[in-house]
Amino acid sequence: MADYLLFLDEANVTSTNPFFCLGGIIIKRDEYENVLIPAINALKIKYFNNTSVLFHYTDMKKNKEDFKIFLDGNLRVQFWNEFNNILKNIDFVTIGTYLEYSTFQETFKPVKNKHYSVAFIDLMNNYITYLKRQKAMGAVVVESRQWKENTDIQEVFHEILISGTALYSSVESTQHLSTIGFIIKKDNCIGLQIADFVPDSFVRTINGSKNFYNVSNNFMNKIFAINGKYQDIVGLHKFRVVSRRIIETNRHGIFT
């Protein structure tokens, strides 16, 4: 079976964004190791003379820290053009789930961080959908947060393997999902650095915000679809608050 990786990151609510979004890239392991990593490292060497600099979208947009070199407008334009061209030619797809945070909280009054679990389960359904179509296995790689937050998601992932989801049985889940791993930011994981751009690009598009150097196009143009359709279901899915009863019946105990 083919071997895929899903690198995940999140965008949280801000004064200009009412949505929580969990999203990332799905990429074949060979493409990641042999194409994406060398291409991004070559870009880092060209502009920063090393591969240890961590790409972080917020700092890059604001020309902060290592990215003060982009105060030079010509250099900044050149870099973003090259970055966009690299990603345009890499074979990956994007996937995401988003929800209106305040509505979710007011409706369900869940315990802390359950919105992340809800989005994660929703995303796993569509990740399994993608993997089934590719006849593949897939791992999940998440940026490490606090130990309790990591534990919560690890438990949800293992419960999916044991009990399945509302859409897929445990047999189907274990046929296509392999492992979940948590990597800290300073480990310099290229996959997570690229995933850092995805939820931000999604919410910028959803909110009609500025498309910074057309970066969002890299990720909006690669959203998972089935026969060119259903992107809003399997690719970038909005989790809609339907009824408390429906959510409470979820086997994964989203609410306590």
Side-chain angles (χ1 to χ4, degrees):
M1 290 181 104
D3 186 9
Y4 283 83
L5 300 166
L6 167 60
F7 294 96
L8 278 182
D9 205 344
E10 74 271 6
N12 289 301
V13 174
T14 67
S15 60
T16 58
N17 170 46
F19 300 106
F20 169 80
C21 181
L22 184 65
I25 66 169
I26 303 172
I27 186 168
K28 192 175 286 189
R29 186 182 294 272
D30 287 346
E31 181 81 1
Y32 175 63
E33 293 178 348
N34 299 322
V35 184
L36 180 59
I37 290 177
I40 295 299
N41 279 338
L43 187 69
K44 289 182 177 183
I45 290 171
K46 179 175 180 178
Y47 286 92
F48 305 98
N49 298 315
N50 66 77
T51 61
S52 61
V53 61
L54 304 178
F55 281 7
H56 186 255
Y57 196 21
T58 300
D59 290 342
M60 295 169 82
K61 285 183 296 186
K62 296 179 179 179
N63 307 318
K64 294 173 58 178
E65 305 298 334
D66 290 314
F67 309 104
K68 288 180 180 178
I69 63 169
F70 296 147
L71 291 171
D72 179 331
N74 291 330
L75 193 65
R76 182 170 66 249
V77 170
Q78 181 181 323
F79 170 84
W80 286 112
N81 284 340
E82 290 190 37
F83 180 76
N84 285 334
N85 285 334
I86 287 171
L87 293 187
K88 181 180 178 180
N89 292 303
I90 300 293
D91 184 14
F92 67 85
V93 300
T94 57
I95 192 170
T97 292
Y98 67 104
L99 56 85
E100 193 168 8
Y101 182 77
S102 64
T103 302
F104 181 85
Q105 294 295 111
E106 290 169 7
T107 302
F108 301 117
K109 296 180 171 55
V111 297
K112 187 177 180 181
N113 292 321
K114 287 301 178 181
H115 64 287
Y116 192 109
S117 297
V118 168
F120 182 81
I121 294 169
D122 194 53
L123 201 68
M124 287 302 99
N125 277 320
N126 288 336
Y127 187 33
I128 294 171
T129 300
Y130 178 84
L131 294 169
K132 284 188 68 173
R133 296 183 68 83
Q134 302 299 321
K135 297 180 174 59
M137 288 287 290
V140 181
V141 183
V142 186
E143 185 172 296
S144 181
R145 300 179 292 156
Q146 299 297 316
W147 71 266
K148 179 63 168 63
E149 295 169 326
N150 291 347
T151 299
D152 288 344
I153 293 304
Q154 183 170 270
E155 289 178 352
V156 170
F157 183 80
H158 288 161
E159 183 63 20
I160 290 172
L161 296 181
I162 294 169
S163 303
T165 71
L167 291 178
Y168 292 111
S169 68
S170 60
V171 172
E172 290 173 301
S173 299
T174 54
Q175 281 177 341
H176 297 287
L177 295 177
S178 56
T179 59
I180 185 169
F182 301 89
I183 297 179
I184 62 173
K185 187 182 291 291
K186 290 186 177 180
D187 279 342
N188 198 6
C189 173
I190 298 297
L192 287 179
Q193 288 170 56
I194 300 304
D196 178 67
F197 291 81
V198 179
D200 188 282
S201 294
F202 285 164
V203 297
R204 279 177 171 272
T205 302
I206 293 163
N207 292 320
S209 302
K210 180 181 178 181
N211 184 359
F212 183 83
Y213 284 97
N214 297 317
V215 170
S216 295
N217 294 351
N218 296 314
F219 307 104
M220 297 303 298
N221 292 339
K222 292 178 180 281
I223 293 176
F224 172 39
I226 296 175
N227 300 324
K229 300 182 290 185
Y230 315 120
Q231 283 188 349
D232 60 332
I233 298 174
V234 298
L236 178 54
H237 182 240
K238 182 176 182 181
F239 181 90
R240 291 174 171 82
V241 175
V242 181
S243 78
R244 185 180 179 91
R245 182 175 179 275
I246 290 174
I247 303 303
E248 284 183 331
T249 59
N250 186 287
R251 71 184 70 194
H252 301 293
I254 292 171
F255 295 94
T256 60

